[in-house]
Amino acid sequence: MKRYEEENMIRTKIVNSIAEVDFDGIRQPMIAIYDHPDDFPNKVVARIWDMDKPTDTIMVADTAEELGKDIHRHTGMVFFRRGAEDVPCLLGVWVQERTYE
């Protein structure tokens, strides 16, 4: 059982800025902001997602504002607050703004 758990755990890569993240190959990038999640109980975490699958890349900060400023500065993403059905520690998700031609 332990071997299965180890093989299926996401290896975490922590970046200091979203500018360090290579989004090539991510079909629909999203950045979920978590307030003091179980794995980082004293921090706020931004996890990069590819559609409905988490990637191995996160940013860690003391406040959501720090993460939001960095994401806003380096991406064209917009922030949506969590829905009632989302996990309680999720503050919201940054997504690419759609452009229509």
Side-chain angles (χ1 to χ4, degrees):
M1 179 73 158
K2 184 174 181 178
R3 182 178 172 93
Y4 173 82
E5 290 171 353
E6 289 173 357
E7 289 174 358
N8 290 291
M9 287 179 58
I10 296 175
R11 298 203 190 312
T12 302
K13 179 173 84 174
I14 300 174
V15 296
N16 295 312
S17 170
I18 203 69
E20 299 173 28
V21 177
D22 180 7
F23 285 102
D24 288 344
I26 298 179
R27 297 165 292 167
Q28 185 179 355
M30 293 182 276
I31 306 169
I33 307 296
Y34 299 95
D35 186 23
H36 301 87
D38 290 342
D39 51 348
F40 288 88
N42 298 317
K43 297 290 182 179
V44 179
V45 175
R47 177 170 294 281
I48 313 304
W49 286 71
D50 184 3
M51 297 178 74
D52 62 343
K53 293 184 176 41
T55 70
D56 64 348
T57 306
I58 65 170
M59 287 174 47
V60 179
D62 291 324
T63 68
E65 290 76 21
E66 290 175 67
L67 295 173
K69 284 180 184 178
D70 185 77
I71 294 166
H72 180 73
R73 182 180 315 125
H74 297 291
T75 72
M77 295 181 167
V78 294
F79 185 74
F80 290 93
R81 294 199 178 279
R82 71 180 288 278
E85 68 284 351
D86 291 321
V87 296
C89 68
L90 179 70
L91 296 176
V93 179
W94 289 85
V95 297
Q96 287 289 56
E97 192 170 18
R98 265 193 111 142
T99 58
Y100 297 94
E101 296 180 26

